[in-house]
Amino acid sequence: MTRPRNHTFQAALIFISVAQLTTALKCVCRLCENNTCETSADGACWNSVMLIDGKEETDKSCLSAEKKNQVYCYSSRNVSKRNCCFTDFCNNENLHLYQERPSEVPGWGKLELAAAILVPSCLLCVGAMLGVCVLQGPRCAYRRAHKQGAEEDLEDTLMAPDKCLKELIYDMSSSGSGSGLPLLVQRTIARTIVLQETIGKGRFGEVWRGKWRGEDVAVKIFSSRDERSWFREAEIYQTIMLRHENILGFIAADNKDNGSWTQLWLVSEYHEPGSLFDYLNRYTVSVQDMMLLALSIASGLAHLHMEIIGTQGKPAIAHRDIKSKNILVKKNGTAVIADLGLAVKHDSTTNTIDIPSNHRVGTKRYMSPEILDDSINMNSFESFKRADIYALGLVFWELSRRCSVRGIHEDFQLPYYDLVPSDPSVDDMRRVVCDQKQRPSIPNQWQSCEALRVMGKVMRECLCAGSEGDGEGDEGVLVCRL
Ligand code: ADP
Ligand code: MG
């Protein structure tokens, strides 16, 4: 009599398990109302702990299906632990980075102590795992097959030896994930890169040129101290639909643990001419070069700022550190926007940004007047975009000065080079930009060339102080920082 019932029960269990795989999960969420959130179909519950200023900070939330395959489910020993799990509220427990060592029991040798602890714990673990697998049998098997099988298949197909990076990235975008290579592929690529030479230094660690299957790649190496920055930059680069010809092409993020410390890598396309800052220091540009560079930088920034609505949509993103050192020149004469480490994403449904914001991030020299004098309206995402446009105006000034017309051009200089010290403070900048209302001057020579005259006009519109719209310029109405 019990048999059919058992069968029905098991069938129901299988049905529920399989059904749950594609439906939403409820998870504990630290920053949500009622501390609960619901994932999209096939999402995961996320649990994490990070070491911040020597203290453990936990975070719990819901992960979407595509984020599940990215860096979110990584753990890097000592610095952070992250778990993804797949049952309702499975992220309830608190993770810890350091386990306390058991105190020694007098009279017991280390071996006996180890045996006394390990044997029962192993038995318990095996028992618990068996129990869980019996209860969730079909689900365990499905998950394993689905996760490992699918990822390995994907890895095999994508990592065929004749594939070059461009093809890999193309395959990836057409395979549907849309936001980045699968985790396993990212790891495999990163771990087969051979570093060649350092090519740059910035806020965090060093940037190297590396070789992957004979192709050049750039590897930004963060120390484990800067894990948050590594994680954040990798996360931003993997925003759905971010990929654009004028935004640095992201390839992989990887955390390599060499036993005693963790090296955090961010792999991207390599651009031999380097940063716009280095390029303009070395070379002058023709009118055509200048227009191509200016147009491509503006296109990259416009794409970053643009919200694309839809399931495969993209949030509006503000860069917050636009400057010539964070723009790279491509061999074809166009440019890409790089260093997305300080970027913020806008959630238009709640009109909020995705991380707690400190408004004075970025490079002081490029800070807009409203950031410098604290009048910025932090509740409007437009303000962040406007601040980017101001910095873009300064980049256009750096670029236009190097435009050579009939052999005449200016030397390379950073904005406000003649008005502030080489490492200016916020006070230095505020005095010049807000109090004295000075802006980089436009050389007379720009009036003799139509393209430079236009660049001067665009630049003035970008640098206009009015943060809420129109202002008067000497050549008619200036629409400030559109
Ligand atoms: P940080 O966050 O430390 O400022 P960036 O991403 O801005 O790091 O990189 C620092 C410098 O490294 C850049 O100004 C540029 O000179 C060089 N660099 C970075 N990425 C690349 C790349 N993909 N190709 C060529 N050079 C690069
Ligand atoms: Mg930088």
Side-chain angles (χ1 to χ4, degrees), residues 308-339:
I308 300 173
I309 296 168
T311 42
Q312 286 291 302
K314 157 193 172 299
I317 298 174
H319 187 285
R320 301 203 298 169
D321 199 16
I322 292 287
K323 58 177 176 179
S324 51
K325 284 185 180 164
N326 286 341
I327 293 167
L328 303 171
V329 180
K330 294 210 255 187
K331 271 195 194 144
N332 67 4
T334 63
V336 293
I337 293 180
D339 195 355

mmCIF file of all heavy atoms in Angstrom, residues 308-339:
data_model
loop_
_atom_site.group_PDB
_atom_site.id
_atom_site.type_symbol
_atom_site.label_atom_id
_atom_site.label_comp_id
_atom_site.label_asym_id
_atom_site.label_seq_id
_atom_site.Cartn_x
_atom_site.Cartn_y
_atom_site.Cartn_z
ATOM 1 N N ILE A 308 19.666 51.335 -21.667
ATOM 2 C CA ILE A 308 18.956 50.581 -22.703
ATOM 3 C C ILE A 308 17.876 49.789 -21.973
ATOM 4 O O ILE A 308 18.186 49.032 -21.045
ATOM 5 C CB ILE A 308 19.916 49.636 -23.469
ATOM 6 C CG1 ILE A 308 21.023 50.460 -24.136
ATOM 7 C CG2 ILE A 308 19.160 48.805 -24.497
ATOM 8 C CD1 ILE A 308 22.120 49.632 -24.783
ATOM 9 N N ILE A 309 16.650 49.989 -22.383
ATOM 10 C CA ILE A 309 15.546 49.353 -21.657
ATOM 11 C C ILE A 309 15.185 48.024 -22.308
ATOM 12 O O ILE A 309 15.257 47.875 -23.515
ATOM 13 C CB ILE A 309 14.338 50.312 -21.582
ATOM 14 C CG1 ILE A 309 14.766 51.532 -20.751
ATOM 15 C CG2 ILE A 309 13.121 49.656 -20.932
ATOM 16 C CD1 ILE A 309 13.826 52.689 -20.819
ATOM 17 N N GLY A 310 14.854 47.025 -21.480
ATOM 18 C CA GLY A 310 14.488 45.699 -21.998
ATOM 19 C C GLY A 310 15.163 44.636 -21.157
ATOM 20 O O GLY A 310 16.017 44.948 -20.327
ATOM 21 N N THR A 311 14.796 43.366 -21.390
ATOM 22 C CA THR A 311 15.388 42.301 -20.553
ATOM 23 C C THR A 311 16.888 42.211 -20.792
ATOM 24 O O THR A 311 17.653 41.900 -19.898
ATOM 25 C CB THR A 311 14.755 40.930 -20.856
ATOM 26 O OG1 THR A 311 14.604 40.835 -22.273
ATOM 27 C CG2 THR A 311 13.432 40.735 -20.155
ATOM 28 N N GLN A 312 17.298 42.473 -22.032
ATOM 29 C CA GLN A 312 18.734 42.493 -22.324
ATOM 30 C C GLN A 312 19.221 43.940 -22.293
ATOM 31 O O GLN A 312 20.089 44.323 -23.070
ATOM 32 C CB GLN A 312 19.005 41.875 -23.688
ATOM 33 C CG GLN A 312 18.882 40.361 -23.716
ATOM 34 C CD GLN A 312 20.007 39.680 -22.935
ATOM 35 O OE1 GLN A 312 21.170 39.865 -23.222
ATOM 36 N NE2 GLN A 312 19.656 38.905 -21.928
ATOM 37 N N GLY A 313 18.650 44.740 -21.432
ATOM 38 C CA GLY A 313 18.975 46.159 -21.392
ATOM 39 C C GLY A 313 20.211 46.451 -20.573
ATOM 40 O O GLY A 313 20.788 45.559 -19.958
ATOM 41 N N LYS A 314 20.583 47.704 -20.586
ATOM 42 C CA LYS A 314 21.782 48.129 -19.868
ATOM 43 C C LYS A 314 21.452 49.344 -19.013
ATOM 44 O O LYS A 314 20.769 50.257 -19.483
ATOM 45 C CB LYS A 314 22.850 48.451 -20.921
ATOM 46 C CG LYS A 314 23.908 49.370 -20.476
ATOM 47 C CD LYS A 314 24.747 49.901 -21.605
ATOM 48 C CE LYS A 314 25.668 50.975 -21.078
ATOM 49 N NZ LYS A 314 24.990 52.135 -20.491
ATOM 50 N N PRO A 315 21.933 49.385 -17.774
ATOM 51 C CA PRO A 315 21.667 50.577 -16.968
ATOM 52 C C PRO A 315 22.546 51.729 -17.439
ATOM 53 O O PRO A 315 23.581 51.505 -18.075
ATOM 54 C CB PRO A 315 22.094 50.149 -15.564
ATOM 55 C CG PRO A 315 23.130 49.097 -15.789
ATOM 56 C CD PRO A 315 22.756 48.395 -17.074
ATOM 57 N N ALA A 316 22.142 52.957 -17.115
ATOM 58 C CA ALA A 316 23.018 54.101 -17.362
ATOM 59 C C ALA A 316 24.193 53.977 -16.394
ATOM 60 O O ALA A 316 24.016 53.573 -15.237
ATOM 61 C CB ALA A 316 22.253 55.386 -17.101
ATOM 62 N N ILE A 317 25.385 54.294 -16.880
ATOM 63 C CA ILE A 317 26.586 54.186 -16.043
ATOM 64 C C ILE A 317 27.341 55.513 -16.115
ATOM 65 O O ILE A 317 27.519 56.066 -17.202
ATOM 66 C CB ILE A 317 27.499 53.038 -16.535
ATOM 67 C CG1 ILE A 317 26.763 51.694 -16.433
ATOM 68 C CG2 ILE A 317 28.810 52.980 -15.748
ATOM 69 C CD1 ILE A 317 27.526 50.526 -17.030
ATOM 70 N N ALA A 318 27.780 56.006 -14.968
ATOM 71 C CA ALA A 318 28.648 57.194 -14.974
ATOM 72 C C ALA A 318 30.062 56.730 -14.631
ATOM 73 O O ALA A 318 30.251 55.874 -13.766
ATOM 74 C CB ALA A 318 28.155 58.207 -13.954
ATOM 75 N N HIS A 319 31.062 57.302 -15.308
ATOM 76 C CA HIS A 319 32.440 56.813 -15.172
ATOM 77 C C HIS A 319 33.114 57.335 -13.908
ATOM 78 O O HIS A 319 33.740 56.603 -13.164
ATOM 79 C CB HIS A 319 33.228 57.234 -16.424
ATOM 80 C CG HIS A 319 34.606 56.667 -16.499
ATOM 81 N ND1 HIS A 319 35.638 57.140 -15.731
ATOM 82 C CD2 HIS A 319 35.122 55.663 -17.251
ATOM 83 C CE1 HIS A 319 36.743 56.460 -16.008
ATOM 84 N NE2 HIS A 319 36.444 55.552 -16.942
ATOM 85 N N ARG A 320 33.018 58.611 -13.655
ATOM 86 C CA ARG A 320 33.535 59.325 -12.491
ATOM 87 C C ARG A 320 35.061 59.477 -12.434
ATOM 88 O O ARG A 320 35.594 59.949 -11.436
ATOM 89 C CB ARG A 320 33.032 58.703 -11.178
ATOM 90 C CG ARG A 320 31.515 58.688 -11.081
ATOM 91 C CD ARG A 320 31.058 58.609 -9.668
ATOM 92 N NE ARG A 320 31.493 57.385 -9.030
ATOM 93 C CZ ARG A 320 31.413 57.157 -7.736
ATOM 94 N NH1 ARG A 320 30.922 58.091 -6.935
ATOM 95 N NH2 ARG A 320 31.809 56.018 -7.224
ATOM 96 N N ASP A 321 35.771 59.049 -13.464
ATOM 97 C CA ASP A 321 37.211 59.336 -13.489
ATOM 98 C C ASP A 321 37.687 59.504 -14.934
ATOM 99 O O ASP A 321 38.716 58.949 -15.336
ATOM 100 C CB ASP A 321 37.989 58.234 -12.763
ATOM 101 C CG ASP A 321 39.391 58.698 -12.352
ATOM 102 O OD1 ASP A 321 39.639 59.918 -12.362
ATOM 103 O OD2 ASP A 321 40.237 57.834 -12.036
ATOM 104 N N ILE A 322 36.923 60.287 -15.696
ATOM 105 C CA ILE A 322 37.328 60.550 -17.089
ATOM 106 C C ILE A 322 38.558 61.459 -17.073
ATOM 107 O O ILE A 322 38.568 62.506 -16.427
ATOM 108 C CB ILE A 322 36.173 61.243 -17.862
ATOM 109 C CG1 ILE A 322 34.985 60.290 -18.047
ATOM 110 C CG2 ILE A 322 36.647 61.815 -19.205
ATOM 111 C CD1 ILE A 322 35.195 59.183 -19.055
ATOM 112 N N LYS A 323 39.598 61.031 -17.753
ATOM 113 C CA LYS A 323 40.825 61.838 -17.926
ATOM 114 C C LYS A 323 41.671 61.177 -19.006
ATOM 115 O O LYS A 323 41.414 60.017 -19.380
ATOM 116 C CB LYS A 323 41.604 61.925 -16.603
ATOM 117 C CG LYS A 323 42.024 60.595 -16.013
ATOM 118 C CD LYS A 323 42.835 60.822 -14.758
ATOM 119 C CE LYS A 323 43.208 59.525 -14.077
ATOM 120 N NZ LYS A 323 44.017 59.729 -12.890
ATOM 121 N N SER A 324 42.686 61.894 -19.491
ATOM 122 C CA SER A 324 43.434 61.350 -20.633
ATOM 123 C C SER A 324 44.194 60.073 -20.283
ATOM 124 O O SER A 324 44.491 59.268 -21.166
ATOM 125 C CB SER A 324 44.376 62.411 -21.198
ATOM 126 O OG SER A 324 45.151 62.971 -20.172
ATOM 127 N N LYS A 325 44.471 59.862 -18.983
ATOM 128 C CA LYS A 325 45.176 58.627 -18.613
ATOM 129 C C LYS A 325 44.243 57.421 -18.602
ATOM 130 O O LYS A 325 44.696 56.277 -18.573
ATOM 131 C CB LYS A 325 45.808 58.775 -17.223
ATOM 132 C CG LYS A 325 47.053 59.625 -17.236
ATOM 133 C CD LYS A 325 47.738 59.660 -15.891
ATOM 134 C CE LYS A 325 48.975 60.542 -15.986
ATOM 135 N NZ LYS A 325 49.518 60.946 -14.717
ATOM 136 N N ASN A 326 42.941 57.664 -18.569
ATOM 137 C CA ASN A 326 41.975 56.557 -18.545
ATOM 138 C C ASN A 326 41.301 56.343 -19.897
ATOM 139 O O ASN A 326 40.270 55.701 -20.003
ATOM 140 C CB ASN A 326 40.914 56.793 -17.465
ATOM 141 C CG ASN A 326 41.489 56.556 -16.071
ATOM 142 O OD1 ASN A 326 42.521 55.892 -15.935
ATOM 143 N ND2 ASN A 326 40.846 57.092 -15.054
ATOM 144 N N ILE A 327 41.898 56.921 -20.930
ATOM 145 C CA ILE A 327 41.408 56.702 -22.299
ATOM 146 C C ILE A 327 42.564 56.076 -23.067
ATOM 147 O O ILE A 327 43.708 56.525 -22.926
ATOM 148 C CB ILE A 327 40.965 58.039 -22.933
ATOM 149 C CG1 ILE A 327 39.723 58.554 -22.181
ATOM 150 C CG2 ILE A 327 40.679 57.882 -24.423
ATOM 151 C CD1 ILE A 327 39.361 59.985 -22.487
ATOM 152 N N LEU A 328 42.296 55.023 -23.817
ATOM 153 C CA LEU A 328 43.371 54.350 -24.551
ATOM 154 C C LEU A 328 43.181 54.569 -26.044
ATOM 155 O O LEU A 328 42.046 54.648 -26.528
ATOM 156 C CB LEU A 328 43.350 52.847 -24.253
ATOM 157 C CG LEU A 328 43.469 52.457 -22.775
ATOM 158 C CD1 LEU A 328 43.225 50.965 -22.598
ATOM 159 C CD2 LEU A 328 44.836 52.855 -22.215
ATOM 160 N N VAL A 329 44.310 54.672 -26.728
ATOM 161 C CA VAL A 329 44.264 54.895 -28.185
ATOM 162 C C VAL A 329 44.442 53.548 -28.881
ATOM 163 O O VAL A 329 45.313 52.754 -28.512
ATOM 164 C CB VAL A 329 45.380 55.877 -28.608
ATOM 165 C CG1 VAL A 329 45.343 56.117 -30.110
ATOM 166 C CG2 VAL A 329 45.232 57.201 -27.851
ATOM 167 N N LYS A 330 43.581 53.290 -29.881
ATOM 168 C CA LYS A 330 43.699 52.040 -30.634
ATOM 169 C C LYS A 330 44.580 52.276 -31.859
ATOM 170 O O LYS A 330 44.756 53.427 -32.291
ATOM 171 C CB LYS A 330 42.313 51.586 -31.115
ATOM 172 C CG LYS A 330 41.374 51.188 -30.003
ATOM 173 C CD LYS A 330 40.394 50.127 -30.483
ATOM 174 C CE LYS A 330 39.011 50.639 -30.724
ATOM 175 N NZ LYS A 330 38.034 49.611 -31.032
ATOM 176 N N LYS A 331 45.055 51.159 -32.418
ATOM 177 C CA LYS A 331 45.936 51.283 -33.586
ATOM 178 C C LYS A 331 45.220 51.944 -34.763
ATOM 179 O O LYS A 331 45.847 52.577 -35.608
ATOM 180 C CB LYS A 331 46.404 49.891 -34.013
ATOM 181 C CG LYS A 331 47.674 49.459 -33.323
ATOM 182 C CD LYS A 331 48.224 48.268 -34.073
ATOM 183 C CE LYS A 331 49.283 47.539 -33.311
ATOM 184 N NZ LYS A 331 49.221 46.098 -33.519
ATOM 185 N N ASN A 332 43.897 51.800 -34.838
ATOM 186 C CA ASN A 332 43.164 52.380 -35.977
ATOM 187 C C ASN A 332 42.855 53.865 -35.781
ATOM 188 O O ASN A 332 42.077 54.452 -36.527
ATOM 189 C CB ASN A 332 41.879 51.594 -36.263
ATOM 190 C CG ASN A 332 40.859 51.732 -35.138
ATOM 191 O OD1 ASN A 332 41.078 52.464 -34.170
ATOM 192 N ND2 ASN A 332 39.751 51.037 -35.264
ATOM 193 N N GLY A 333 43.407 54.457 -34.731
ATOM 194 C CA GLY A 333 43.244 55.902 -34.542
ATOM 195 C C GLY A 333 42.011 56.301 -33.740
ATOM 196 O O GLY A 333 41.801 57.480 -33.482
ATOM 197 N N THR A 334 41.180 55.318 -33.360
ATOM 198 C CA THR A 334 40.044 55.647 -32.492
ATOM 199 C C THR A 334 40.475 55.409 -31.039
ATOM 200 O O THR A 334 41.615 55.023 -30.783
ATOM 201 C CB THR A 334 38.806 54.782 -32.828
ATOM 202 O OG1 THR A 334 39.137 53.414 -32.583
ATOM 203 C CG2 THR A 334 38.373 54.974 -34.270
ATOM 204 N N ALA A 335 39.551 55.631 -30.106
ATOM 205 C CA ALA A 335 39.920 55.488 -28.692
ATOM 206 C C ALA A 335 38.885 54.660 -27.946
ATOM 207 O O ALA A 335 37.759 54.473 -28.426
ATOM 208 C CB ALA A 335 40.025 56.875 -28.059
ATOM 209 N N VAL A 336 39.301 54.137 -26.793
ATOM 210 C CA VAL A 336 38.351 53.430 -25.915
ATOM 211 C C VAL A 336 38.438 54.034 -24.519
ATOM 212 O O VAL A 336 39.498 54.496 -24.095
ATOM 213 C CB VAL A 336 38.640 51.907 -25.819
ATOM 214 C CG1 VAL A 336 38.392 51.209 -27.136
ATOM 215 C CG2 VAL A 336 40.055 51.618 -25.308
ATOM 216 N N ILE A 337 37.318 53.997 -23.825
ATOM 217 C CA ILE A 337 37.305 54.458 -22.439
ATOM 218 C C ILE A 337 37.660 53.275 -21.555
ATOM 219 O O ILE A 337 37.114 52.178 -21.708
ATOM 220 C CB ILE A 337 35.919 55.033 -22.092
ATOM 221 C CG1 ILE A 337 35.722 56.304 -22.913
ATOM 222 C CG2 ILE A 337 35.779 55.309 -20.603
ATOM 223 C CD1 ILE A 337 34.435 57.004 -22.725
ATOM 224 N N ALA A 338 38.602 53.496 -20.634
ATOM 225 C CA ALA A 338 39.074 52.391 -19.782
ATOM 226 C C ALA A 338 38.929 52.770 -18.310
ATOM 227 O O ALA A 338 38.387 53.821 -17.983
ATOM 228 C CB ALA A 338 40.532 52.101 -20.111
ATOM 229 N N ASP A 339 39.403 51.900 -17.446
ATOM 230 C CA ASP A 339 39.425 52.101 -15.997
ATOM 231 C C ASP A 339 38.031 52.427 -15.439
ATOM 232 O O ASP A 339 37.751 53.562 -15.038
ATOM 233 C CB ASP A 339 40.421 53.228 -15.644
ATOM 234 C CG ASP A 339 40.751 53.201 -14.144
ATOM 235 O OD1 ASP A 339 40.141 52.395 -13.417
ATOM 236 O OD2 ASP A 339 41.619 53.979 -13.716
#
